[in-house]
Coordinates of all heavy atoms in Angstrom, one line a residue:
V96 N 58.5 122.7 -9.7 CA 57.9 123.7 -10.6 C 57.7 125.0 -9.9 O 57.9 126.0 -10.5 CB 56.6 123.1 -11.2 CG1 55.8 124.2 -11.9 CG2 56.8 121.9 -12.1
Y97 N 57.3 124.9 -8.6 CA 57.0 126.2 -7.9 C 58.3 127.0 -7.8 O 58.2 128.3 -8.0 CB 56.5 125.8 -6.5 CG 56.4 127.0 -5.6 CD1 55.4 127.9 -5.8 CD2 57.4 127.3 -4.6 CE1 55.3 129.1 -4.9 CE2 57.3 128.4 -3.8 CZ 56.3 129.3 -4.0 OH 56.2 130.4 -3.2
K98 N 59.4 126.5 -7.5 CA 60.7 127.3 -7.4 C 61.0 127.9 -8.8 O 61.5 129.0 -8.8 CB 61.8 126.4 -6.9 CG 61.7 126.0 -5.5 CD 62.8 125.2 -5.0 CE 62.6 124.8 -3.5 NZ 63.7 124.0 -3.0
R99 N 60.8 127.2 -9.9 CA 61.1 127.8 -11.2 C 60.2 129.0 -11.5 O 60.6 130.0 -12.0 CB 61.0 126.7 -12.3 CG 62.1 125.7 -12.3 CD 61.9 124.7 -13.4 NE 60.7 123.9 -13.0 CZ 60.4 122.7 -13.6 NH1 61.1 122.3 -14.6 NH2 59.4 122.0 -13.2
Q100 N 58.9 128.8 -11.1 CA 57.9 129.9 -11.3 C 58.3 131.1 -10.4 O 58.1 132.2 -10.8 CB 56.5 129.4 -11.1 CG 56.1 128.4 -12.1 CD 54.8 127.7 -11.7 OE1 54.4 127.7 -10.6 NE2 54.1 127.1 -12.7
K101 N 58.7 130.8 -9.2 CA 59.1 131.9 -8.3 C 60.3 132.6 -8.8 O 60.3 133.9 -8.8 CB 59.4 131.3 -6.9 CG 59.5 132.3 -5.8 CD 59.5 131.7 -4.5 CE 59.6 132.8 -3.4 NZ 59.5 132.3 -2.1
L102 N 61.3 132.0 -9.3 CA 62.4 132.6 -10.0 C 62.0 133.5 -11.2 O 62.4 134.6 -11.3 CB 63.5 131.6 -10.4 CG 64.7 132.2 -11.1 CD1 65.4 133.2 -10.2 CD2 65.6 131.1 -11.6
A103 N 61.1 132.9 -12.0 CA 60.6 133.6 -13.2 C 59.9 134.9 -12.8 O 60.0 135.9 -13.6 CB 59.7 132.7 -14.0
S104 N 59.2 135.0 -11.7 CA 58.5 136.2 -11.3 C 59.3 137.1 -10.3 O 58.8 138.1 -9.9 CB 57.2 135.8 -10.7 OG 57.4 135.1 -9.4
S105 N 60.5 136.7 -10.0 CA 61.4 137.5 -9.1 C 61.9 138.7 -9.8 O 61.8 138.9 -11.0 CB 62.5 136.6 -8.6 OG 63.5 136.5 -9.6
S106 N 62.6 139.6 -9.0 CA 63.2 140.8 -9.5 C 64.6 140.5 -10.1 O 65.2 141.5 -10.6 CB 63.3 141.8 -8.4 OG 64.2 141.3 -7.3
I107 N 65.1 139.3 -10.1 CA 66.3 138.9 -10.8 C 66.2 139.3 -12.2 O 65.2 139.0 -12.9 CB 66.6 137.5 -10.6 CG1 66.9 137.2 -9.1 CG2 67.8 137.0 -11.4 CD1 67.1 135.7 -8.8
E108 N 67.2 140.0 -12.8 CA 67.1 140.5 -14.1 C 67.7 139.5 -15.2 O 67.2 139.5 -16.3 CB 67.8 141.8 -14.2 CG 67.2 142.9 -13.4 CD 68.0 144.2 -13.4 OE1 68.9 144.3 -14.2 OE2 67.7 145.1 -12.5
V109 N 68.7 138.8 -14.9 CA 69.4 138.0 -15.8 C 69.7 136.6 -15.2 O 70.1 136.5 -14.1 CB 70.8 138.6 -16.3 CG1 71.5 137.7 -17.2 CG2 70.5 140.0 -16.9
V110 N 69.5 135.5 -16.0 CA 69.7 134.2 -15.5 C 70.6 133.5 -16.6 O 70.3 133.5 -17.8 CB 68.4 133.4 -15.3 CG1 68.7 131.9 -14.9 CG2 67.5 134.1 -14.3
V111 N 71.7 132.9 -16.1 CA 72.6 132.2 -17.0 C 72.7 130.8 -16.4 O 73.1 130.6 -15.2 CB 74.0 132.8 -17.1 CG1 74.9 132.0 -18.0 CG2 73.9 134.2 -17.6
T112 N 72.3 129.7 -17.1 CA 72.4 128.4 -16.6 C 73.4 127.6 -17.3 O 73.8 127.9 -18.5 CB 71.0 127.7 -16.8 OG1 70.6 127.6 -18.1 CG2 69.9 128.4 -16.0
F113 N 73.9 126.5 -16.7 CA 74.9 125.6 -17.2 C 74.6 124.2 -16.9 O 74.2 123.8 -15.8 CB 76.3 126.0 -16.5 CG 77.4 125.1 -16.8 CD1 77.9 125.1 -18.1 CD2 77.9 124.3 -15.9 CE1 79.0 124.2 -18.4 CE2 79.0 123.4 -16.1 CZ 79.5 123.4 -17.4
G114 N 74.8 123.4 -17.9 CA 74.7 121.9 -17.8 C 73.3 121.4 -18.1 O 72.3 122.2 -18.1
E115 N 73.2 120.2 -18.5 CA 72.0 119.6 -19.0 C 70.9 119.6 -17.9 O 69.7 119.8 -18.2 CB 72.2 118.1 -19.4 CG 71.0 117.5 -20.1 CD 70.5 118.3 -21.3 OE1 71.3 118.9 -22.1 OE2 69.3 118.4 -21.5
E116 N 71.3 119.4 -16.6 CA 70.3 119.4 -15.6 C 69.7 120.7 -15.3 O 68.6 120.8 -14.7 CB 70.8 118.7 -14.3 CG 71.1 117.3 -14.5 CD 71.6 116.6 -13.3 OE1 71.3 117.0 -12.2 OE2 72.3 115.5 -13.4
A117 N 70.3 121.8 -15.7 CA 69.8 123.2 -15.5 C 69.0 123.6 -16.7 O 68.3 124.7 -16.6 CB 71.0 124.1 -15.2
R118 N 68.9 122.9 -17.7 CA 68.2 123.3 -18.9 C 66.7 123.5 -18.6 O 66.1 124.4 -19.0 CB 68.3 122.3 -20.0 CG 67.5 122.7 -21.3 CD 67.7 121.7 -22.4 NE 69.1 121.8 -23.0 CZ 69.4 122.7 -23.9 NH1 68.6 123.6 -24.3 NH2 70.6 122.8 -24.3
F119 N 66.1 122.7 -17.7 CA 64.7 122.8 -17.3 C 64.4 124.2 -16.7 O 63.4 124.8 -16.9 CB 64.2 121.7 -16.4 CG 64.8 121.8 -15.0 CD1 64.1 122.4 -14.0 CD2 66.0 121.2 -14.7 CE1 64.6 122.5 -12.7 CE2 66.6 121.3 -13.4 CZ 65.8 122.0 -12.4
L120 N 65.4 124.7 -15.9 CA 65.2 126.0 -15.3 C 65.2 127.1 -16.3 O 64.4 128.0 -16.3 CB 66.4 126.2 -14.3 CG 66.4 127.6 -13.6 CD1 65.2 127.8 -12.8 CD2 67.7 127.7 -12.7
W121 N 66.2 127.0 -17.3 CA 66.3 128.0 -18.3 C 65.0 128.0 -19.2 O 64.5 129.0 -19.6 CB 67.5 127.7 -19.2 CG 67.6 128.5 -20.4 CD1 67.9 129.9 -20.4 CD2 67.3 128.2 -21.8 NE1 67.8 130.3 -21.7 CE2 67.5 129.3 -22.6 CE3 67.0 126.9 -22.4 CZ2 67.4 129.3 -23.9 CZ3 66.9 126.9 -23.7 CH2 67.1 128.1 -24.5
E122 N 64.5 126.8 -19.4 CA 63.2 126.7 -20.2 C 62.1 127.5 -19.6 O 61.3 128.1 -20.3 CB 62.8 125.2 -20.4 CG 63.7 124.4 -21.3 CD 63.6 124.7 -22.7 OE1 62.6 125.3 -23.2 OE2 64.5 124.3 -23.5
E123 N 62.0 127.5 -18.3 CA 61.0 128.2 -17.6 C 61.3 129.7 -17.5 O 60.4 130.5 -17.8 CB 60.8 127.7 -16.2 CG 59.7 128.3 -15.4 CD 58.3 127.9 -15.9 OE1 58.1 126.8 -16.4 OE2 57.4 128.8 -15.8
V124 N 62.5 130.1 -17.2 CA 62.8 131.5 -17.0 C 63.0 132.3 -18.3 O 62.8 133.5 -18.3 CB 63.9 131.8 -16.0 CG1 63.7 131.2 -14.7 CG2 65.3 131.3 -16.6
R125 N 63.3 131.7 -19.3 CA 63.6 132.4 -20.6 C 62.3 133.1 -21.1 O 62.4 134.0 -21.9 CB 64.2 131.5 -21.7 CG 63.2 130.5 -22.2 CD 63.9 129.6 -23.2 NE 62.9 128.7 -23.8 CZ 63.0 128.3 -25.1 NH1 64.0 128.7 -25.8 NH2 62.1 127.4 -25.5
K126 N 61.2 132.7 -20.6 CA 59.9 133.3 -21.0 C 59.8 134.7 -20.4 O 59.0 135.6 -21.0 CB 58.7 132.5 -20.6 CG 58.8 131.1 -21.2 CD 57.7 130.2 -20.6 CE 57.9 128.7 -21.0 NZ 57.2 127.8 -20.2
S127 N 60.4 135.0 -19.3 CA 60.2 136.3 -18.6 C 61.5 137.0 -18.3 O 61.5 138.1 -17.7 CB 59.4 136.0 -17.4 OG 60.1 135.2 -16.5
K128 N 62.7 136.4 -18.5 CA 64.0 137.0 -18.1 C 64.9 137.0 -19.3 O 64.8 136.2 -20.2 CB 64.6 136.2 -17.0 CG 63.8 136.0 -15.8 CD 63.8 137.2 -15.0 CE 63.0 136.9 -13.7 NZ 62.7 138.2 -13.0
R129 N 65.9 137.9 -19.3 CA 67.0 137.8 -20.2 C 67.8 136.6 -19.7 O 68.2 136.6 -18.5 CB 67.9 139.1 -20.1 CG 67.3 140.3 -20.7 CD 68.1 141.5 -20.5 NE 69.5 141.3 -21.0 CZ 70.5 141.9 -20.5 NH1 70.4 142.8 -19.5 NH2 71.7 141.7 -21.0
S130 N 68.0 135.6 -20.5 CA 68.6 134.4 -20.1 C 69.3 133.7 -21.2 O 69.0 133.8 -22.4 CB 67.5 133.5 -19.4 OG 66.6 133.1 -20.4
W131 N 70.3 132.9 -20.8 CA 71.1 132.1 -21.7 C 71.4 130.7 -21.0 O 71.5 130.7 -19.8 CB 72.4 132.8 -22.0 CG 72.3 134.0 -22.8 CD1 72.3 134.2 -24.1 CD2 72.0 135.3 -22.2 NE1 72.1 135.5 -24.5 CE2 72.0 136.2 -23.3 CE3 71.9 135.8 -21.0 CZ2 71.7 137.6 -23.2 CZ3 71.6 137.2 -20.8 CH2 71.6 138.0 -21.9
H132 N 71.5 129.7 -21.8 CA 71.9 128.4 -21.3 C 73.1 127.9 -22.1 O 73.2 128.1 -23.3 CB 70.7 127.4 -21.5 CG 71.1 126.0 -21.1 ND1 71.1 125.7 -19.8 CD2 71.6 125.0 -21.8 CE1 71.5 124.4 -19.7 NE2 71.8 123.9 -20.9
F133 N 74.0 127.3 -21.3 CA 75.3 126.8 -21.9 C 75.6 125.4 -21.5 O 75.3 125.0 -20.4 CB 76.5 127.7 -21.5 CG 76.3 129.1 -22.1 CD1 75.8 130.1 -21.3 CD2 76.7 129.4 -23.4 CE1 75.6 131.4 -21.8 CE2 76.6 130.7 -23.8 CZ 76.1 131.7 -23.1
E134 N 76.2 124.6 -22.4 CA 76.7 123.3 -22.0 C 78.3 123.4 -21.9 O 78.9 122.4 -21.5 CB 76.4 122.3 -23.1 CG 74.9 122.1 -23.3 CD 74.2 121.4 -22.1 OE1 74.9 120.6 -21.4 OE2 73.1 121.7 -21.8
D135 N 78.8 124.5 -22.3 CA 80.3 124.7 -22.3 C 80.6 125.8 -21.3 O 80.1 126.9 -21.5 CB 80.7 125.1 -23.8 CG 82.2 125.4 -23.8 OD1 83.0 124.4 -24.0 OD2 82.6 126.6 -23.7
K136 N 81.5 125.5 -20.4 CA 81.8 126.5 -19.3 C 82.5 127.7 -19.8 O 82.3 128.8 -19.4 CB 82.6 125.8 -18.2 CG 82.5 126.5 -16.9 CD 83.3 125.8 -15.8 CE 82.6 124.5 -15.4 NZ 83.3 123.8 -14.3
R137 N 83.4 127.5 -20.8 CA 84.1 128.7 -21.4 C 83.2 129.7 -22.0 O 83.3 130.9 -21.9 CB 85.2 128.2 -22.3 CG 86.1 129.3 -22.9 CD 87.1 129.8 -21.9 NE 86.7 131.0 -21.3 CZ 87.1 131.4 -20.0 NH1 87.8 130.7 -19.3 NH2 86.7 132.6 -19.5
R138 N 82.2 129.1 -22.8 CA 81.2 130.0 -23.5 C 80.3 130.7 -22.4 O 80.0 131.9 -22.6 CB 80.4 129.2 -24.4 CG 81.2 128.7 -25.6 CD 80.4 128.1 -26.7 NE 79.5 129.0 -27.3 CZ 78.2 128.7 -27.7 NH1 77.8 127.5 -27.6 NH2 77.5 129.6 -28.2
L139 N 80.0 130.0 -21.4 CA 79.2 130.6 -20.3 C 80.0 131.8 -19.7 O 79.5 132.9 -19.5 CB 79.0 129.6 -19.2 CG 78.2 130.1 -17.9 CD1 77.3 129.0 -17.4 CD2 79.2 130.6 -16.9
M140 N 81.3 131.6 -19.4 CA 82.1 132.6 -18.8 C 82.2 133.8 -19.8 O 82.1 135.0 -19.3 CB 83.5 132.1 -18.5 CG 83.6 131.4 -17.2 SD 82.8 132.3 -15.8 CE 83.7 133.9 -15.8
D141 N 82.4 133.6 -21.0 CA 82.5 134.7 -22.0 C 81.2 135.5 -21.9 O 81.3 136.8 -21.9 CB 82.7 134.2 -23.4 CG 84.1 133.6 -23.6 OD1 85.0 133.8 -22.7 OD2 84.3 132.9 -24.6
K142 N 80.1 134.9 -21.9 CA 78.8 135.6 -21.9 C 78.7 136.3 -20.5 O 78.3 137.5 -20.5 CB 77.6 134.7 -22.1 CG 76.3 135.4 -22.1 CD 76.3 136.4 -23.3 CE 75.0 137.1 -23.4 NZ 75.0 138.0 -24.5
L143 N 78.9 135.6 -19.4 CA 78.7 136.2 -18.1 C 79.6 137.5 -18.0 O 79.2 138.5 -17.5 CB 79.1 135.2 -17.0 CG 78.9 135.7 -15.6 CD1 77.5 136.1 -15.3 CD2 79.3 134.5 -14.6
L144 N 80.9 137.4 -18.3 CA 81.8 138.5 -18.2 C 81.4 139.7 -19.1 O 81.6 140.8 -18.8 CB 83.2 138.0 -18.4 CG 83.8 137.0 -17.4 CD1 85.2 136.6 -17.8 CD2 83.7 137.6 -16.0
S145 N 80.8 139.4 -20.2 CA 80.3 140.5 -21.1 C 79.1 141.2 -20.5 O 78.9 142.3 -20.9 CB 80.0 139.9 -22.5 OG 78.7 139.3 -22.5
L146 N 78.4 140.6 -19.6 CA 77.2 141.2 -19.0 C 77.6 142.0 -17.7 O 76.8 142.9 -17.3 CB 76.2 140.1 -18.6 CG 75.6 139.3 -19.7 CD1 74.8 138.1 -19.2 CD2 74.7 140.2 -20.6
L147 N 78.7 141.7 -17.1 CA 79.0 142.3 -15.8 C 79.3 143.7 -15.8 O 80.0 144.2 -16.7 CB 80.2 141.6 -15.1 CG 80.0 140.2 -14.6 CD1 81.3 139.7 -14.0 CD2 78.9 140.2 -13.5
E148 N 78.7 144.4 -14.9 CA 78.9 145.9 -14.7 C 79.2 146.1 -13.2 O 78.8 145.3 -12.3 CB 77.7 146.7 -15.1 CG 77.4 146.6 -16.6 CD 76.2 147.4 -17.0 OE1 75.6 148.0 -16.1 OE2 75.8 147.3 -18.1
E149 N 79.9 147.2 -12.9 CA 80.3 147.5 -11.5 C 79.0 147.6 -10.7 O 78.0 148.2 -11.1 CB 81.0 148.8 -11.4 CG 81.5 149.1 -10.1 CD 82.5 150.3 -10.0 OE1 82.9 150.8 -11.1 OE2 82.7 150.8 -8.9
G150 N 79.0 147.0 -9.5 CA 77.9 147.0 -8.6 C 76.9 145.8 -8.8 O 76.0 145.7 -8.0
D151 N 77.1 145.0 -9.8 CA 76.2 143.9 -10.0 C 76.4 142.8 -8.9 O 77.5 142.7 -8.4 CB 76.6 143.1 -11.4 CG 76.0 143.9 -12.6 OD1 75.2 144.8 -12.4 OD2 76.4 143.5 -13.7
L152 N 75.3 142.2 -8.6 CA 75.3 141.1 -7.6 C 75.2 139.8 -8.4 O 74.2 139.7 -9.2 CB 74.2 141.3 -6.6 CG 74.0 140.2 -5.6 CD1 75.2 140.1 -4.7 CD2 72.7 140.4 -4.8
V153 N 76.1 138.9 -8.2 CA 76.1 137.6 -8.9 C 75.9 136.5 -8.0 O 76.7 136.4 -7.0 CB 77.4 137.5 -9.7 CG1 77.4 136.1 -10.5 CG2 77.6 138.6 -10.7
G154 N 74.9 135.7 -8.2 CA 74.7 134.4 -7.4 C 75.1 133.2 -8.3 O 74.7 133.2 -9.4
I155 N 75.9 132.4 -7.7 CA 76.3 131.2 -8.5 C 75.9 130.0 -7.7 O 76.3 129.8 -6.5 CB 77.9 131.2 -8.7 CG1 78.2 132.4 -9.6 CG2 78.3 129.9 -9.4 CD1 79.7 132.6 -9.8
K156 N 75.1 129.1 -8.3 CA 74.6 127.9 -7.7 C 74.9 126.7 -8.5 O 74.7 126.7 -9.7 CB 73.1 128.1 -7.5 CG 72.3 126.8 -7.2 CD 72.5 126.4 -5.8 CE 71.7 125.2 -5.4 NZ 72.3 123.9 -5.6
G157 N 75.4 125.6 -8.0 CA 75.7 124.4 -8.7 C 76.2 123.3 -7.8 O 76.7 123.6 -6.7
S158 N 76.2 122.1 -8.3 CA 76.7 121.0 -7.5 C 78.2 121.0 -7.5 O 78.8 121.6 -8.4 CB 76.2 119.7 -8.1 OG 76.8 119.4 -9.3
R159 N 78.8 120.4 -6.5 CA 80.2 120.4 -6.4 C 80.8 119.7 -7.7 O 81.9 120.1 -8.1 CB 80.6 119.6 -5.1 CG 82.0 119.4 -4.9 CD 82.7 120.8 -4.6 NE 84.1 120.7 -4.7 CZ 84.9 120.9 -5.8 NH1 84.3 121.3 -6.9 NH2 86.2 120.7 -5.8
A160 N 80.1 118.7 -8.2 CA 80.6 118.0 -9.4 C 80.7 119.0 -10.6 O 81.5 118.7 -11.5 CB 79.7 116.9 -9.7
M161 N 80.0 120.0 -10.6 CA 80.0 121.0 -11.7 C 81.2 121.9 -11.7 O 81.5 122.6 -12.6 CB 78.7 121.8 -11.8 CG 77.5 121.0 -12.0 SD 77.5 120.1 -13.6 CE 77.1 121.5 -14.7
E162 N 82.0 121.9 -10.6 CA 83.2 122.7 -10.4 C 82.9 124.2 -10.6 O 83.7 124.9 -11.3 CB 84.3 122.2 -11.3 CG 84.7 120.7 -11.0 CD 85.8 120.2 -11.9 OE1 85.9 120.7 -13.0 OE2 86.4 119.2 -11.4
M163 N 81.9 124.7 -10.0 CA 81.5 126.1 -10.2 C 82.5 127.0 -9.6 O 82.4 128.2 -9.9 CB 80.1 126.3 -9.7 CG 79.0 125.5 -10.4 SD 79.0 125.6 -12.2 CE 78.3 127.2 -12.4
E164 N 83.4 126.5 -8.8 CA 84.4 127.4 -8.2 C 85.2 128.1 -9.3 O 85.8 129.2 -9.2 CB 85.3 126.7 -7.2 CG 86.2 125.7 -7.8 CD 85.6 124.3 -7.9 OE1 84.4 124.1 -7.6 OE2 86.3 123.4 -8.2
E165 N 85.3 127.4 -10.5 CA 86.1 128.0 -11.6 C 85.3 129.3 -12.1 O 86.0 130.3 -12.4 CB 86.1 127.0 -12.8 CG 87.0 125.8 -12.5 CD 86.9 124.7 -13.6 OE1 86.2 125.0 -14.6 OE2 87.5 123.7 -13.4
I166 N 84.0 129.3 -12.1 CA 83.3 130.4 -12.5 C 83.5 131.5 -11.4 O 83.7 132.7 -11.8 CB 81.7 130.1 -12.6 CG1 81.5 129.0 -13.6 CG2 80.9 131.3 -12.9 CD1 81.9 129.3 -15.0
V167 N 83.4 131.2 -10.1 CA 83.6 132.1 -9.0 C 85.0 132.8 -9.2 O 85.1 134.0 -9.1 CB 83.4 131.5 -7.7 CG1 83.8 132.4 -6.5 CG2 82.0 130.9 -7.5
E168 N 86.0 132.0 -9.4 CA 87.3 132.6 -9.5 C 87.5 133.5 -10.7 O 88.1 134.6 -10.6 CB 88.4 131.4 -9.7 CG 88.5 130.6 -8.4 CD 89.3 129.3 -8.6 OE1 89.7 129.0 -9.7 OE2 89.4 128.5 -7.6
D169 N 86.9 133.2 -11.8 CA 86.9 134.0 -13.0 C 86.2 135.4 -12.7 O 86.6 136.4 -13.1 CB 86.3 133.4 -14.2 CG 87.3 132.4 -14.9 OD1 88.4 132.3 -14.4 OD2 86.9 131.7 -15.8
V170 N 85.0 135.3 -12.1 CA 84.2 136.5 -11.8 C 85.0 137.4 -10.9 O 85.1 138.6 -11.1 CB 82.8 136.1 -11.3 CG1 82.1 137.3 -10.7 CG2 82.0 135.5 -12.3
L171 N 85.6 136.8 -9.8 CA 86.3 137.6 -8.8 C 87.5 138.2 -9.4 O 88.0 139.3 -8.9 CB 86.6 136.7 -7.6 CG 85.5 136.3 -6.7 CD1 85.9 135.4 -5.6 CD2 84.7 137.5 -6.2
S172 N 88.2 137.6 -10.4 CA 89.4 138.2 -10.9 C 89.1 139.1 -12.1 O 90.1 139.7 -12.7 CB 90.4 137.1 -11.3 OG 89.8 136.3 -12.4
F173 N 87.9 139.2 -12.6 CA 87.6 140.0 -13.8 C 87.7 141.5 -13.5 O 87.1 142.0 -12.6 CB 86.1 139.7 -14.2 CG 85.7 140.4 -15.5 CD1 86.3 140.1 -16.7 CD2 84.8 141.4 -15.4 CE1 86.0 140.7 -17.8 CE2 84.4 142.0 -16.6 CZ 85.0 141.7 -17.8
P174 N 88.5 142.2 -14.3 CA 88.7 143.6 -14.1 C 87.5 144.4 -14.7 O 87.4 144.3 -15.9 CB 90.0 144.0 -14.7 CG 90.2 142.9 -15.8 CD 89.4 141.7 -15.3
L175 N 86.8 145.1 -13.9 CA 85.7 145.9 -14.5 C 86.2 147.2 -15.1 O 87.2 147.7 -14.5 CB 84.6 146.2 -13.4 CG 83.8 145.0 -12.9 CD1 83.0 145.3 -11.7 CD2 82.9 144.4 -14.0
P176 N 85.6 147.7 -16.1 CA 86.0 149.0 -16.7 C 85.8 150.1 -15.7 O 84.9 150.1 -14.9 CB 85.1 149.2 -17.9 CG 84.1 148.1 -17.9 CD 84.5 147.1 -16.8
A177 N 86.8 151.0 -15.7 CA 86.7 152.2 -14.8 C 85.7 153.2 -15.3 O 85.3 153.3 -16.3 CB 88.1 152.8 -14.7

């Protein structure tokens, strides 16, 4: 609970969560952050890419079983508008 509360009060502006086990995190941070939760990785990517702007810092955290490298690859290959 402490870590969820710490994230909720941090300077992080947007939180996007993925998967059933991350829902508890979203439930906590949605009260104080712009946030979205997804069960579908493609829908998550569509939302994430719509939010990205040049200079944004993106942190991606997930278990190896979640195959989050797919998200990393999509973010790294996304062409930002000039």
Side-chain angles (χ1 to χ4, degrees):
V96 171
Y97 172 74
K98 290 180 182 180
R99 289 179 289 195
Q100 291 170 342
K101 192 169 182 172
L102 177 62
S104 65
S105 75
S106 63
I107 293 172
E108 297 175 11
V109 176
V110 176
V111 180
T112 60
F113 172 68
E115 189 55 40
E116 293 185 25
R118 180 175 288 280
F119 71 93
L120 176 62
W121 175 71
E122 292 286 346
E123 184 69 32
V124 301
R125 73 183 182 146
K126 301 168 190 169
S127 61
K128 304 284 182 196
R129 290 177 51 212
S130 62
W131 294 266
H132 177 80
F133 296 94
E134 297 293 331
D135 176 85
K136 201 177 289 184
R137 184 75 259 153
R138 292 187 64 214
L139 177 148
M140 277 311 304
D141 291 345
K142 183 61 178 180
L143 182 58
L144 295 178
S145 77
L146 295 168
L147 285 179
E148 296 178 2
E149 188 171 347
D151 283 352
L152 177 63
V153 177
I155 297 175
K156 164 74 175 91
S158 70
R159 181 65 192 93
M161 297 298 284
E162 300 177 336
M163 298 307 285
E164 68 274 6
E165 295 172 0
I166 303 295
V167 173
E168 291 167 3
D169 282 356
V170 168
L171 290 175
S172 66
F173 183 66
L175 290 171

